[in-house]
Amino acid sequence: MTAQTAGVHRSRKWVYIPLTMMALFYLLPMFVMLNTGFKSFEEVSLATMWELPSSLSLDNFTAAWEILSPNVWNSLKIVIPAATISSVLGSINGYVLSKWKFPGANIVFPVLLFGMFIPYQSILIPLVDVMSRIGLAGSIWGLILVHVIYGIPITTLIFRNYYAAVPDSLIEAATVDGAGIWQVYWRVLLPLSIPAFVVVYIWQFTSAWNDFLFAVLLTSTQNWPVTVALNNMAGSQIIAWNVQMAGSFLAAIPTLLIYIFLGRYFLRGMMTGALKE
Amino acid sequence: MTASVVAETEILASAKSPKRKRFRMENWWGVIWVLPSLLAVMLFVYGFIIWTARVSVSAWKGLTPDYTYVGAENFVNLASDRRFHIDITNTIIFTIVFVLGCLLIGLGLALLLDKGIRAEGFYRSLFLFPMAISFIVTGVVWRWLMNPAQGDRLSGLNLLFHNLGLDFLINRWYATPTWGIAAVAIAAVWQMSGYTMALYLAGLRAVPEALREAARVDGASEFQVYRRVVMPLLWPVTLSAVIILGHSSLKVFDLIIAMVGKQVALDVPAIYMWTTTFDGFFFGRGAAIGMVLLVSVAVLVIPYLWYSLRQDSEG
Amino acid sequence: MKRTTLKFLGLLLVLAMVAAACSSDSDDTTTTAAGGTDETTTTAAAATDSKVEVFSWWTGGGEAAGLDAMIVVFNAAYPNIEFVNSAVAGGAGTNARAVLASRLQANDPPDSWQGHAGQELIGTYVAADQIEPLNFLYEEMGWLEVMPETLIPLISKDGNIYSVPVNIHRSNVLWANPTVLSDAGIDMPTTLDEFYTAMDALKEGGMEAPLAMGEQWTTLHLFETIMLASMGPAGWEGLWDGSVAWDSAEVTAGLEDFAKILTYTNADAAALAWQDAGQLVLDGSSAFNIMGDWQEGFFREVGSEPQTGYTWAAVPGTDGNFQFLSDSFVLAKSAPDRDAAIAWLTVAGSLEGQDAFNPVKGSIPARSDGDRSLYGEYLLSAMDDWASDTVVGSLTHGVVANDSWKSEIDTAVGLFLLDYDVAALQEGLVAAAEASG
């Protein structure tokens, strides 16, 4: 990608040795998941874990899918609205906090931001209480609300950083033409925001999909997302480990696909997570 | 994949025009736009923290709320709670293995990839993909890879070592006394070291080539260029990485639950809070643990936030 | 481009997922073990006007199969009530309880849930005013005539009966591999001393861990049976009614026995479920396992035969004592559908329901009029013992202590596994009793 200066290109062949060794380390769990997943039931045993399957069988994936499919749909029902709503809120907040700073905006931003770092154990007890009072405990909507609210800090951060890079002169030009706060957002910033939306959406999608803590506490059994169901499956020993492996893989597919096809945006979101101003 | 985000933003920062105050009626519209989010965060973050703080000084035990004030009793009890001591030891071991592991592997990989090799994009994607996966998935897989069984029941990595003739590497992984939590940290390193690599890579790409070239002209060897020129410029990245990794190691929960379940030997504060609150119904104690966690994270994060944002606004 | 390889991989993943999705349609013989929606429930859903959500931790093996058998009875009796099976995994309900607690705190209770007869029920749910008395149902169904007299006080408070017990399990059972024993020339031990001698001999013969154990809660299970063996029934029960002090010498002696027993266990216990520990006995890697009699359900499930594959006795030193637990179902105070919940409880307490459930689950019916012809060799012996033995309660399974107390004891035992310090364990138990007893 980025062009390197010529001088560096000399004999660098040795770097492939450590890189490839590390690549094996990263691929190991993936290999085990797939290798086990593709074996037939008869062929699976802990002792032959590292042997390749003699033929490709989908037994394990089928069995895992049968158990997990309702939960995969639940996950989608939770994650898509959650990611959408928190992206929109983040965009609005980021816009106001970067371009229409009101007195005190510089305090509001870090106040919002801190929410990104809190250990959720420090809010779980009130959370369960409030969710039940407003009648959302156990439901999919409750979990969506929680993902939206605790997603506000990071989505605001990403959008604020993104909008900060938009020259103020653009905004001024629009305001000279008589555009108000809303028109500026709608006509000037929103059309520029697609990349930021992609970044935020992916980020929120991934973190909500991967969430376990909120889901296990706040959803009743029928509404479990896939992470909770997977953990439940791993806890019930009668479901063989090979099916657990296949199930793990199924649960990882959506976020892996996002990563594979939209990796650059995914990375962008991760870097903002480090507050990289 | 990335022209470094760091570089990008730094250029932007320096190009930013001096701040101008725009006080108009419309600015107050901005407040209204932000208000819903602000209120939600005020309630769900700060309101709940205060509420938890209140529970942490209450006698609440059992399924029925009880807000009788008991002062610092729950905290005092934690100070002499042996399980909590184990939690702290485990957190320290986990944090050290996890943070150091991520930093070393991340930096190492970034330096290797920075050499302008052919398949850079491929390797980078490969090292980063675990980030996209849930800790629950990671936990389930590593639970089997790190199966501690010995003798004829060897499996997972131990079996692999045995097959490769590396029997001296066979160990009991997470069932190792005292250090078992380090095995869990290895799984966490697997997941997060690619992220650290990405941070470092961005930092490396932000080092102006002119600086390196100047050093080379002065006769510095490639190693010296790294030591004298590149590394000092990477300190801010290291700081960011330590904060991010450090605070997530204080919060680790999912990975342990999925990998080893709930057992005192591999307990951490986040799990103790969970079990004592929702299995044992010691709500007061659970809230106290939550507050201790919050304060530890705050001590780490607030100075960093303050520092970052001040730099940001001075930019 | 460099990413083509990865894209190709991605495509493969999609194909795998689609293939898995398609092939699952053609094969619906498997019953879902863990998921919220069951085959049985979805088929019944077509013509339903109400539903009952029943929460349990029966997700695996004989437990799940037993529940399914009872659901069949329920569906036949109440075809227009949909049965929603909310089963959460975790041996002895370790995960399930957290989920249930969060739902109760959230005021989102299932219509009915599984609770162990005894302090778990009385000291936790009744104390928190979460469940309704069921005296009306007992009178209507005549259950007072058929439920054992020993059991009723454990599910009652102030004259109100709070749950419907479906089964009785025994926790103090020693399982053994008969081949291993006869090869080593060992008889089933009947006292702790004989037990030690037998396991010493096996160790000398090269067996690494004669006693198979699993994750932390199975250690607590071991603890309760060894304490009973060492202290006797009066001593054990005295711990819970306050007549025996936790810092007494009797307790110290019991803890020392417990500590000694642990030296015979496997090093990877933390990584094993109770079924895995049972499997070690079947495989002959270990000779013994101490586990409740649900272990027999697992043995039969994997095709092992009584006397040839496995054998059993009371835990050494506890012969003549029946350390029991009983799974029971309650009626939530704010049950979303009270009538449907009562319908479920009616089935759970019926002879037909219990005789469908118990032979499969591997327990004996709570009712004393179960049809003996339905039960296998082990269960018949358990029925006889239940009728004649001294009955004492289980700790791990909620009879003698409420959830708070139990969780404190569990922590103390978990800590003990780190340092094997008997004095510290005893201090921990004393503190637990003070905090929650």
Side-chain angles (χ1 to χ4, degrees):
Chain A
M1 303 234 146
T2 25
Q4 291 296 301
T5 42
V8 196
H9 265 301
R10 271 162 269 153
S11 60
R12 293 295 184 204
K13 291 238 152 52
W14 63 269
V15 303
Y16 289 101
I17 299 168
L19 280 177
T20 307
M21 283 175 61
M22 286 314 288
L24 290 179
F25 169 65
Y26 284 96
L27 282 175
L28 200 69
M30 233 10 164
F31 168 78
V32 172
M33 256 196 268
L34 288 176
N35 190 45
T36 312
F38 281 120
K39 285 181 184 174
S40 64
F41 281 143
E42 299 78 52
E43 217 182 332
V44 166
S45 93
L46 277 175
T48 58
M49 186 168 182
W50 299 100
E51 283 162 28
L52 292 171
S54 58
S55 63
L56 290 186
S57 151
L58 290 174
D59 287 2
N60 296 301
F61 289 107
T62 311
W65 176 254
E66 208 152 289
I67 298 169
L68 293 180
S69 57
N71 307 101
V72 170
W73 297 125
N74 285 342
S75 277
L76 287 173
K77 277 189 253 171
I78 292 161
V79 166
I80 290 174
T84 311
I85 299 170
S86 59
S87 304
V88 171
L89 286 178
S91 166
I92 291 171
N93 296 338
Y95 166 59
V96 171
L97 290 175
S98 62
K99 294 299 175 206
W100 296 85
K101 290 192 179 173
F102 48 87
N106 285 334
I107 298 166
V108 168
F109 182 54
V111 161
L112 284 181
L113 212 52
F114 183 64
M116 188 169 126
F117 294 96
I118 59 161
Y120 294 128
Q121 267 73 9
S122 64
I123 49 98
L124 285 185
I125 296 170
L127 181 66
V128 172
D129 194 306
V130 166
M131 295 307 277
S132 73
R133 275 173 214 230
I134 57 181
L136 286 180
S139 73
I140 280 186
W141 285 106
L143 196 56
I144 293 174
L145 179 71
V146 167
H147 283 309
V148 166
I149 291 176
Y150 293 105
I152 287 175
I154 179 100
T155 58
T156 302
L157 171 68
I158 297 177
F159 275 107
R160 178 182 171 275
N161 285 2
Y162 185 82
Y163 291 143
V166 174
D168 282 357
S169 53
L170 268 183
I171 315 275
E172 261 145 47
T175 45
V176 168
D177 293 345
I181 182 169
W182 171 251
Q183 284 98 333
V184 171
Y185 177 68
W186 190 251
R187 288 200 213 134
V188 182
L189 277 170
L190 209 53
L192 295 172
S193 305
I194 304 298
F197 266 103
V198 176
V199 169
V200 168
Y201 199 86
I202 289 176
W203 177 271
Q204 283 302 97
F205 186 97
T206 309
S207 51
W209 184 277
N210 290 344
D211 163 70
F212 173 75
L213 183 60
F214 285 139
V216 76
L217 196 69
L218 291 176
T219 48
S220 46
T221 322
Q222 309 91 288
N223 294 331
W224 275 351
V226 69
T227 44
V228 182
L230 176 65
N231 188 56
N232 193 43
M233 179 163 126
S236 91
Q237 303 300 323
I238 219 72
I239 294 173
W241 67 286
N242 40 301
V243 180
Q244 296 178 24
M245 288 290 192
S248 305
F249 186 70
L250 291 179
I253 285 179
T255 49
L256 273 183
L257 285 180
I258 286 188
Y259 174 71
I260 289 167
F261 291 105
L262 298 163
R264 137 188 23 193
Y265 298 100
F266 180 77
L267 184 64
R268 195 81 58 81
M270 279 177 8
M271 306 297 261
T272 332
L275 269 196
K276 212 36 242 177
E277 41 313 327
Chain B
M1 179 173 284
T2 153
S4 118
V5 178
V6 180
E8 213 173 72
T9 42
E10 264 160 23
I11 292 160
L12 289 169
S14 59
K16 213 184 278 172
S17 54
K19 291 258 145 48
R20 210 167 320 168
K21 295 205 166 174
R22 271 181 278 146
F23 271 147
R24 279 180 307 192
M25 272 307 286
E26 293 230 295
N27 288 18
W28 292 105
W29 276 110
V31 180
I32 290 167
W33 282 37
V34 179
L35 212 55
S37 299
L38 189 61
L39 286 179
V41 170
M42 288 313 282
L43 172 66
F44 276 70
V45 174
Y46 297 93
F48 283 7
I49 286 173
I50 293 167
W51 189 336
T52 305
R54 179 65 188 86
V55 176
S56 76
V57 293
S58 79
W60 184 356
K61 191 188 100 180
L63 283 171
T64 323
D66 169 10
Y67 284 95
T68 315
Y69 179 75
V70 295
E73 192 183 302
N74 289 315
F75 294 93
V76 172
N77 288 344
L78 277 185
S80 60
D81 183 332
R82 286 177 62 218
R83 176 165 173 183
F84 197 63
H85 296 169
I86 303 280
D87 291 357
I88 290 171
T89 315
N90 278 342
T91 303
I92 291 170
I93 297 176
F94 184 92
T95 305
I96 291 173
V97 174
F98 173 63
V99 174
L100 276 184
C102 284
L103 289 181
L104 291 177
I105 293 181
L107 179 61
L109 292 177
L111 288 175
L112 290 173
L113 286 183
D114 192 44
K115 298 210 168 290
I117 59 160
R118 247 158 221 264
E120 187 198 320
F122 170 77
Y123 280 112
R124 202 175 39 204
S125 308
L126 194 68
F127 298 150
L128 264 167
F129 87 87
M131 265 299 285
I133 298 176
S134 152
F135 271 127
I136 297 293
V137 170
T138 309
V140 171
V141 179
W142 283 96
R143 169 200 189 104
W144 291 105
L145 280 175
M146 290 186 171
N147 191 313
Q150 304 285 314
D152 11 316
R153 294 191 290 115
L154 274 191
S155 72
L157 287 175
N158 282 345
L159 181 65
L160 183 67
F161 292 150
H162 179 71
N163 291 349
L164 296 174
L166 302 170
D167 286 59
F168 64 94
L169 284 175
I170 291 175
N171 69 82
R172 284 172 53 199
W173 298 110
Y174 51 79
T176 312
T178 313
W179 298 95
I181 195 77
V184 182
I186 291 175
V189 168
W190 176 79
Q191 186 137 18
M192 296 290 282
S193 50
Y195 173 58
T196 323
M197 172 207 73
L199 286 178
Y200 273 122
L201 208 52
L204 282 173
R205 296 287 149 83
V207 175
E209 188 55 34
L211 271 185
R212 304 192 201 196
E213 209 47 58
R216 284 190 199 109
V217 170
D218 289 347
S221 71
E222 201 60 14
F223 175 74
Q224 284 169 319
V225 171
Y226 273 111
R227 233 197 95 195
R228 298 271 158 74
V229 181
V230 178
M231 296 313 265
L233 289 170
L234 288 182
W235 275 116
V237 178
T238 308
L239 179 70
S240 295
V242 167
I243 303 284
I244 297 295
L245 298 170
H247 109 279
S248 52
S249 79
L250 289 173
K251 299 201 286 195
V252 61
F253 175 82
D254 308 11
L255 180 64
I256 300 184
I257 292 284
M259 201 166 152
V260 297
K262 293 180 284 196
Q263 41 178 306
V264 172
L266 298 170
D267 201 44
V268 292
I271 293 179
Y272 191 13
M273 184 277 165
W274 173 274
T275 53
T276 205
T277 309
F278 298 110
D279 288 350
F281 311 131
F282 291 94
F283 281 83
R285 185 196 294 158
I289 299 171
M291 292 313 289
V292 171
L293 270 176
L294 178 74
V295 169
S296 337
V297 167
V299 163
L300 197 64
V301 164
I302 288 179
Y304 175 70
L305 264 182
W306 184 73
Y307 168 80
S308 310
L309 293 175
R310 209 182 51 147
Q311 271 203 330
D312 191 37
S313 59
E314 278 171 2
Chain C
M1 262 304 281
K2 296 144 195 168
R3 229 175 279 107
T4 17
T5 1
L6 278 175
K7 278 186 179 156
F8 176 70
L9 207 78
L11 202 69
L12 244 144
L13 307 192
V14 182
L15 287 177
M17 190 155 91
V18 170
C22 296
S23 52
S24 69
D25 295 336
S26 57
D27 160 35
D28 51 5
T29 45
T30 345
T31 44
T32 1
T37 48
D38 236 56
E39 300 289 335
T40 38
T41 69
T42 39
T43 43
T48 54
D49 33 30
S50 65
K51 61 180 180 182
V52 57
E53 183 192 1
V54 176
F55 183 99
S56 74
W57 46 86
W58 289 333
T59 59
E63 307 180 332
L67 181 59
D68 284 341
M70 197 151 49
I71 294 171
V72 169
V73 176
F74 177 79
N75 285 335
Y78 299 95
N80 19 332
I81 303 178
E82 179 190 357
F83 187 93
V84 180
N85 179 6
S86 291
V88 178
T94 44
N95 289 325
R97 302 289 279 293
V99 172
L100 178 60
S102 79
R103 291 188 58 179
L104 292 180
Q105 198 208 334
N107 199 25
D108 168 42
D111 295 291
S112 177
W113 66 83
Q114 178 188 7
H116 288 125
Q119 279 304 309
E120 178 181 313
L121 186 77
I122 303 300
T124 309
Y125 306 126
V126 174
D129 201 20
Q130 295 277 5
I131 53 181
E132 263 191 52
L134 294 168
N135 299 41
F136 68 94
L137 197 59
Y138 273 73
E139 276 157 29
E140 193 185 320
M141 308 304 295
W143 285 343
L144 285 169
E145 319 293 311
V146 290
M147 294 290 183
E149 276 171 32
T150 36
L151 205 50
I152 297 295
L154 289 164
I155 53 173
S156 304
K157 193 178 182 195
D158 304 332
N160 290 321
I161 306 177
Y162 282 98
S163 73
V164 179
V166 293
N167 67 351
I168 306 288
H169 268 301
R170 184 176 196 171
S171 76
N172 60 326
V173 187
L174 177 71
W175 304 97
N177 182 318
T179 321
V180 170
L181 292 194
S182 62
D183 286 356
I186 293 171
D187 292 329
M188 273 305 255
T190 56
T191 65
L192 283 178
D193 284 331
E194 284 177 32
F195 196 24
Y196 298 141
T197 317
M199 292 200 288
D200 284 333
L202 288 164
K203 266 192 149 175
E204 268 163 42
M207 182 176 283
E208 221 171 299
L211 180 61
M213 191 175 75
E215 59 194 309
Q216 193 173 306
W217 77 261
T218 69
T219 314
L220 189 65
H221 186 103
L222 185 64
F223 170 82
E224 73 178 34
T225 60
I226 299 302
M227 291 304 279
L228 173 65
S230 180
M231 300 180 71
W236 171 254
E237 291 286 305
L239 288 174
W240 312 106
D241 63 22
S243 61
V244 174
W246 281 92
D247 55 4
S248 64
E250 276 180 274
V251 173
T252 316
L255 297 179
E256 272 158 7
D257 281 322
F258 174 57
K260 182 156 186 183
I261 290 283
L262 284 175
T263 61
Y264 298 100
T265 57
N266 43 318
D268 63 335
L272 303 183
W274 60 269
Q275 294 99 327
D276 300 324
Q279 188 66 47
L280 292 183
V281 173
L282 295 184
D283 295 345
S285 307
S286 294
F288 301 109
N289 170 237
I290 289 178
M291 186 38 61
D293 53 12
W294 45 93
Q295 190 66 278
E296 210 239 348
F298 170 71
F299 289 159
R300 282 185 295 127
E301 167 109 5
V302 295
S304 189
E305 297 282 334
Q307 306 311 346
T308 53
Y310 58 95
T311 180
W312 64 88
V315 167
T318 68
D319 196 31
N321 300 309
F322 194 110
Q323 196 165 25
F324 93 103
L325 60 114
S326 169
D327 292 302
S328 70
F329 284 91
V330 303
L331 175 59
K333 198 147 211 170
S334 39
D337 194 332
R338 189 168 180 274
D339 291 340
I342 290 170
W344 157 248
L345 293 174
T346 308
V347 170
S350 70
L351 183 61
E352 199 193 356
Q354 298 208 351
D355 273 348
F357 173 77
N358 286 299
V360 186
K361 154 90 163 133
S363 47
I364 62 176
R367 295 171 64 112
S368 38
D369 56 355
D371 178 356
R372 286 178 69 98
S373 69
L374 296 170
Y375 296 84
E377 183 183 349
Y378 167 76
L379 290 175
L380 287 175
S381 79
M383 280 179 174
D384 296 338
D385 289 346
W386 169 250
S388 61
D389 281 2
T390 308
V391 171
V392 295
S394 158
L395 160 67
T396 320
H397 310 281
V399 181
V400 291
N402 66 17
D403 284 0
S404 297
W405 195 356
K406 186 183 115 186
S407 85
E408 294 291 85
I409 295 174
D410 185 47
T411 294
V413 169
L415 285 166
F416 182 65
L417 290 176
L418 306 180
D419 56 13
Y420 295 98
D421 181 343
V422 169
L425 172 58
Q426 192 159 10
E427 272 172 43
L429 294 171
V430 170
E434 276 164 11
S436 313

